Amino acid sequence: MDNPVETIGIASARIARLAAIRMMLCAVAPAVTAIGLGLFLEPIGDVTWTRFGYLLAPDRAAVLSLALIGGGMVVLVAGLVVSFRAYRHANDFVAAAAELDDLLDCDQEIVTFATLANPSAPESSRARRTPLFPVLWRHAIASFAGLDVRREFRLEVGEPLKRSSIFAGVVAIAMVLATLGLVRAPTPENTEAAKLRAIAEEIARSSTSSDDTALAAKIRQAADALENSKLPPEEKKKRIEEAMRQADKAAEKRNNSQSGKNQGTGKSNAQNGKGSGKSQSQGNSAGAGSGQSNSGTGAGQKLGGNNPGSGKSSNGNNSGKNEGAKGSAKNDKNDQNKGDRSNIELRNELAKAEAQVEAANAKNPGPDNKPGDAKNQGGADKPGDNPGESGNQPDPNRPGNIPKPGAKSARNVPAAGGNPKNDKDMGSNLGDTHLGEMPTSTNAQRFLKPGEKGAAPDIKDARYVMFRLPGEPSSGSGGKTVLDIDRPTATTVYVNAPLAPTSDNAPPDERQLVPPRYRDMIR
Amino acid sequence: MGAAPQQASPDQRVADFRKIFSRAETEVARVIVGHREVVRKMLTALFCGGHILIEGVPGLGKTLMVKAASETLGLSFKRIQFTPDLMPSDIIGTQVLTESDGHREFQFKHGPIFAHMVLGDEINRATPKTQSAVLEAMEEHQVTVFGTTYVLDPPYIVLATQNPIELEGTYPLPEAQMDRFIFKVVMGSPKPDELREILNRTTGTAHSRIQPLFEPSRAPQAIEEHKALVREVMVAEPLERYIISVIGGCTPGGPGAIPEVSQYLRFGPSPRGAQALILCAKVNALLAGRVSVSYDDIDDAIVPCLRHRLLLNFQAEAESVSSESILEQVIKRLKKPRT
């Protein structure tokens, strides 16, 4: 190239571009790291803190993720700005000449030439020229002979990437420190919400209809609400109940489709469902029975099996389905049982979640959440108000929902010689626990002592077992107390004081849940 | 003989300068053994239009060197031996009453200062009054006697020598006068080989003949044209900033002054020092075949241009810190601006 001014100009532009790229490279790695960490925070959490039993609250995780993504974007934008500034700074004619001077070892001839031929200041440059300037021009041309600017000024990414990786490491360390500060041991609500989310995930994965998808969404909403400490308990319960209703709806649809296959047995089972409806409404007069008219399902139906009443299930499909399953094909039965189990689990978890909300609300009663407050009363239909509709799942944790000892106890006591068929959990989707249906003391059955003969207590369908240690045996009037020598004696002195009666307002954690798989053992 | 520089092309002018300079060095080297750096600095000072202070013990050939240079360049030469009783009129000249055609009139008798090359031998032996008589001549290239100003013909260069050993009965040059010398060069003792060569040349029968580079009538103009060429050499802005930073770095309390400067110096160089740096660097650039100054050209000029412009304080003298060592530290530590 004959014009050294053009050569210097080209070199200046290339140096400026390289400077901008290098600067951008410095910013890219930390930005990508931050954005990547922000985007994949959940999978990272799955393999790190979640694996070790810690929990990053979703709202905190969202904030951290947002902060990381935002930080990454800021770094990216800052990188762009700095790159632009580096471009402008490096796009200097004289500076490029200095680079070329060093490169070609020209003893500042190129710099001098550039200062005297600077296109950005032509007048002042020209004024400083002397009659020797042509010599300088020729020297510059001679120096630039064979010069390839692209070859001489190459993009070297090693150093920028090295620097960039340091910044990326800083970002990663900052993320780790932030996470360490934010992770907590999971609370019962977190655990429950996680379970609900897992169920929702499973449902969403195996969803075959829009109802399942809607159910999964509802469950997720309920889980989110459960963890959200800012939401009032009423709102949390509302979400949970919505999830329950959606579960009922989905189960009902599934049963409907199943009942078509089992029409032959549907009739008799409809009666079961019919009877159960009433029991629910009676036993839970103050329960949270805001159920839909066509969803007379759940615990109420099942309990009702012990108390043949005049309750009416609008469709009786659940029982019909259960019975019908016996007569259906084996595969259908398995699928149905699987679905029921899932539904049972879901309902159990939802019930537990609701109980936790209640418990939390009881611990921190707000002005609007006093026990016995009308707001905390379940919206169940009063007996006789709407006998044609069965109530929704009762809420045993709400004050007032728990049956009082002695109050309407007869309705809760399984009648002697009652329908034993209904005592069994025959694969119903009503759940294996019925919070709130606490057996009363009058319904207590005594376990046999070792060696004692007699009828075993029939607690197979019990949802709760309340243990009460017997008091000191009284000899009665004129009787004689005989020491039982075979009785094992304690090595230390102790007082076998009778336990205080369990409070009806006791949180559900203190109530013993008896899962079905342990019932036979107890029996 | 050199070509007519003004009519020649720039490249030719540069080539002529290098040729003249090189030949002058060679011709002086015919009679002066060694001291090539002193000879180079003397010629550099001549083409810069400055004066040079040579410091060295007697008997090193200072007078011979200057005489040889004047013969080589075809310039007139005068020598002044400074003594304590030397009067200014002895240097500048005086009015002498003369009689011609029956009329008596004062006629100015030119002193030895009227020459192209003036050697002021042992200038520190003269009184300050006499020393100051040289000031106007050195700076203004003119002298004034009884209200009449006499211009000194260019080129004009004063080469002053001083003996660093004998300080008794001497009058050290004041800073104002020291500042007027573009260089201060130190003439060291010759090396054994050089001394043997000196003995061979001066104690035998052979005499070296110097070939003048210019005809005596053309020499002053040729020298002036080469001096103009020196001033045409270009300096980039970054290099000008570097020179400024050097001056600032050597000034106590100045911008970028290194700790040693503040510790050992009372005063730093004046703007004349910066001028001397640039001119000397330009000559260095031309000698390297360039028409623009480089950092090396400047660095090469720093010590001879600035060493006599630094005024050391008592601590420096007590610790035997020389101005040269301070300047070397300045060169090492100063950063060369790129743009």
Side-chain angles (χ1 to χ4, degrees):
Chain A
M1 190 171 291
D2 290 336
N3 191 346
V5 177
E6 285 182 16
T7 306
I8 298 173
I10 291 169
S12 171
R14 180 155 182 84
I15 289 168
R17 277 199 299 275
L18 293 180
I21 292 170
R22 277 197 292 266
M23 201 56 74
M24 196 62 213
L25 281 175
C26 288
V28 158
V32 168
T33 304
I35 293 172
L37 288 173
L39 289 176
F40 300 105
L41 190 63
E42 193 174 340
I44 292 170
D46 290 343
V47 297
T48 51
W49 55 81
T50 306
R51 195 174 177 186
F52 294 106
Y54 289 92
L55 182 80
L56 184 60
D59 54 340
R60 291 182 174 189
V63 168
L64 181 59
S65 177
L66 206 63
L68 284 168
I69 294 172
M73 297 300 287
V74 166
V75 170
L76 213 54
V77 172
L80 283 173
V81 172
V82 173
S83 297
F84 179 68
R85 290 188 62 181
Y87 180 86
R88 289 190 60 185
H89 182 72
N91 195 10
D92 186 338
F93 192 76
V94 179
E99 292 275 343
L100 286 168
D101 216 316
D102 290 346
L103 189 71
L104 302 171
D105 198 15
C106 289
D107 287 328
Q108 287 75 50
E109 273 190 308
I110 307 299
V111 177
T112 310
F113 173 78
T115 57
L116 301 178
N118 193 346
S120 60
E123 293 303 321
S124 61
S125 302
R126 195 167 288 120
R128 291 170 55 86
R129 293 178 190 173
T130 68
L132 295 179
F133 183 73
V135 179
L136 193 61
W137 184 285
R138 280 193 292 276
H139 284 194
I141 291 174
S143 300
F144 291 153
L147 173 71
D148 184 359
V149 173
R150 287 179 178 276
R151 192 185 61 211
E152 297 297 343
F153 297 102
R154 289 179 181 170
L155 176 62
E156 293 174 358
V157 296
E159 184 62 27
L161 284 181
K162 191 176 167 186
R163 212 180 308 165
S164 185
S165 60
I166 294 171
F167 293 144
V170 170
V171 168
I173 289 169
M175 180 262 184
V176 168
L177 292 176
T179 309
L180 284 175
L182 291 175
V183 291
R184 296 281 183 275
T187 61
E189 285 85 0
N190 296 139
T191 310
E192 197 58 47
K195 286 180 184 173
L196 288 175
R197 284 198 189 93
I199 293 172
E201 193 67 27
E202 191 178 346
I203 291 172
R205 202 164 40 236
S206 61
S207 80
T208 54
S209 63
S210 60
D211 285 336
D212 289 342
T213 309
L215 175 61
K218 288 283 182 189
I219 295 169
R220 286 195 192 99
Q221 287 176 5
D224 293 342
L226 186 63
E227 285 185 329
N228 191 348
S229 59
K230 293 177 182 175
L231 276 181
E234 290 80 8
E235 187 65 26
K236 292 182 182 178
K237 284 168 61 181
K238 186 182 169 188
R239 300 272 173 86
I240 294 168
E241 285 165 3
E242 282 173 1
M244 281 183 172
R245 280 197 291 274
Q246 189 65 34
D248 293 341
K249 194 177 171 184
E252 182 183 341
K253 283 203 173 183
R254 195 161 51 238
N255 290 339
N256 281 339
S257 61
Q258 190 66 30
S259 64
K261 299 175 185 176
N262 305 309
Q263 284 179 356
T265 56
K267 188 178 175 184
S268 62
N269 293 316
Q271 287 179 346
N272 289 335
K274 197 174 174 182
S276 67
K278 180 167 184 185
S279 172
Q280 182 185 4
S281 63
Q282 285 177 345
N284 301 292
S285 58
S290 59
Q292 297 171 352
S293 60
N294 60 349
S295 62
T297 60
Q301 280 187 325
K302 198 171 177 185
L303 275 180
N306 292 330
N307 304 301
S310 59
K312 182 183 177 185
S313 174
S314 60
N315 47 34
N317 284 327
N318 291 330
S319 301
K321 182 189 74 178
N322 291 338
E323 291 300 320
K326 293 179 180 175
S328 63
K330 193 174 182 180
N331 288 337
D332 291 342
K333 187 178 180 182
N334 288 340
D335 292 343
Q336 183 185 350
N337 287 338
K338 189 179 176 184
D340 288 342
R341 265 201 309 277
S342 166
N343 201 13
I344 288 165
E345 282 180 17
L346 170 61
R347 294 186 63 83
N348 277 341
E349 297 303 336
L350 285 171
K352 286 179 189 174
E354 196 166 11
Q356 282 172 350
V357 172
E358 284 294 333
N361 194 26
K363 281 182 183 174
N364 302 308
D368 297 333
N369 296 323
K370 291 175 182 174
D373 195 336
K375 288 183 181 178
N376 291 325
Q377 297 284 336
D381 295 333
K382 291 177 181 176
D385 282 352
N386 192 1
E389 294 182 1
S390 59
N392 199 2
Q393 177 70 24
D395 186 352
N397 297 307
R398 287 175 175 166
N401 285 343
I402 300 170
K404 300 285 190 302
K408 299 179 181 177
S409 59
R411 297 190 184 108
N412 292 321
V413 179
N419 190 357
K421 194 176 183 181
N422 289 335
D423 289 344
K424 296 177 180 176
D425 182 6
M426 302 178 72
S428 94
N429 58 356
L430 302 179
D432 62 347
T433 58
H434 290 264
L435 301 176
E437 294 186 15
M438 299 292 291
T440 60
S441 57
T442 55
N443 196 25
Q445 298 180 51
R446 193 170 65 82
F447 287 91
L448 298 176
K449 288 183 180 177
E452 187 180 3
K453 292 181 179 178
D458 185 12
I459 59 169
K460 187 177 181 186
D461 284 338
R463 270 61 180 174
Y464 301 99
V465 177
M466 297 178 70
F467 296 92
R468 175 169 294 174
L469 296 177
E472 187 180 2
S474 60
S475 58
S477 58
K480 185 180 179 182
T481 302
V482 179
L483 291 176
D484 183 4
I485 55 171
D486 296 332
R487 180 182 171 202
T489 56
T491 55
T492 56
V493 179
Y494 66 96
V495 176
N496 189 11
L499 294 175
T502 305
S503 170
D504 290 337
N505 291 330
D509 289 346
E510 296 180 11
R511 301 172 187 168
Q512 181 64 47
L513 297 174
V514 183
R517 58 184 176 274
Y518 294 136
R519 286 177 194 159
D520 290 339
M521 293 171 64
I522 294 171
R523 193 169 184 176
Chain B
M1 296 292 165
Q6 288 291 11
Q7 295 168 0
S9 66
D11 288 311
Q12 186 63 42
R13 292 172 65 199
V14 174
D16 282 347
F17 179 87
R18 297 180 66 191
K19 185 178 171 186
I20 293 296
F21 201 99
S22 175
R23 282 189 63 187
E25 282 184 310
T26 306
E27 290 301 322
V28 173
R30 287 178 189 268
V31 293
I32 297 295
V33 178
H35 304 301
R36 296 189 66 84
E37 189 60 32
V38 178
V39 173
R40 172 171 278 232
K41 285 291 177 285
M42 181 184 66
L43 295 172
T44 299
L46 174 67
F47 288 112
C48 290
H51 312 282
I52 184 169
L53 178 64
I54 303 168
E55 190 175 272
V57 294
L60 291 177
K62 297 186 285 288
T63 307
L64 183 62
M65 182 181 70
V66 176
K67 198 173 178 180
S70 65
E71 283 183 24
T72 302
L73 297 170
L75 300 173
S76 59
F77 167 72
K78 292 284 179 61
R79 177 178 179 274
I80 306 167
Q81 179 65 49
F82 282 79
T83 56
D85 57 350
L86 190 72
M87 300 301 289
S89 58
D90 297 334
I91 300 170
I92 296 169
T94 186
Q95 301 277 15
V96 178
L97 187 63
T98 58
E99 184 177 355
S100 67
D101 300 334
H103 296 282
R104 291 181 180 175
E105 59 181 4
F106 282 101
Q107 193 176 13
F108 182 69
K109 186 75 173 177
H110 292 83
I113 206 166
F114 287 88
H116 291 123
M117 298 184 80
V118 177
L119 174 63
D121 217 356
E122 296 186 286
I123 193 172
N124 57 338
R125 288 195 177 277
T127 60
K129 181 181 176 183
T130 308
Q131 289 173 358
S132 63
V134 191
L135 287 178
E136 186 186 8
M138 289 173 69
E139 191 61 31
E140 308 293 334
H141 292 196
Q142 64 183 28
V143 292
T144 304
V145 181
F146 293 113
T148 306
T149 301
Y150 301 92
V151 177
L152 301 171
D153 292 334
Y156 181 73
I157 180 172
V158 173
L159 301 101
T161 67
Q162 66 177 8
N163 188 342
I165 301 169
E166 293 182 44
L167 295 176
E168 191 176 353
T170 62
Y171 303 91
L173 289 173
E175 282 72 33
Q177 193 156 354
M178 291 282 279
D179 197 36
R180 278 166 170 76
F181 292 100
I182 192 170
F183 295 136
K184 176 187 174 184
V185 294
V186 177
M187 252 180 127
S189 299
K191 296 171 186 172
D193 293 344
E194 293 171 349
L195 182 58
R196 187 166 60 86
E197 181 66 22
I198 290 169
L199 294 177
N200 289 338
R201 286 189 191 181
T202 55
T203 57
T205 55
H207 293 283
S208 299
R209 299 283 298 179
I210 291 175
Q211 297 289 328
L213 300 177
F214 304 106
E215 294 174 4
S217 59
R218 255 203 83 240
Q221 187 189 351
I223 300 292
E224 286 301 306
E225 286 169 355
H226 285 301
K227 282 169 68 178
L229 176 68
V230 169
R231 292 182 179 260
E232 288 175 14
V233 172
M234 291 158 285
V235 185
E237 285 179 14
L239 285 95
E240 287 177 345
R241 282 198 291 275
Y242 177 60
I243 289 171
I244 292 167
S245 69
V246 168
I247 299 300
C250 294
T251 305
I258 63 171
E260 287 86 345
V261 166
S262 301
Q263 188 178 0
Y264 295 120
L265 293 188
R266 285 172 59 199
F267 297 105
S270 66
R272 262 201 205 105
Q275 293 169 354
L277 270 181
I278 284 191
L279 286 171
C280 184
K282 285 183 173 184
V283 172
N284 289 341
L286 279 177
L287 293 178
R290 285 183 271 104
V291 293
S292 63
V293 171
S294 71
Y295 286 117
D296 290 340
D297 298 332
I298 297 170
D299 287 346
D300 190 48
I302 285 176
V303 172
C305 285
L306 300 183
R307 60 163 39 133
H308 57 291
R309 300 174 203 270
L310 304 183
L311 193 60
L312 299 173
N313 60 14
F314 179 76
Q315 185 182 358
E317 291 177 5
E319 296 179 14
S320 299
V321 175
S322 64
S323 55
E324 287 85 354
S325 62
I326 294 173
L327 288 170
E328 283 165 5
Q329 288 296 319
V330 170
I331 294 170
K332 277 183 188 173
R333 297 194 196 175
L334 277 186
K335 192 178 177 183
K336 295 175 173 61
R338 294 181 57 79
T339 57

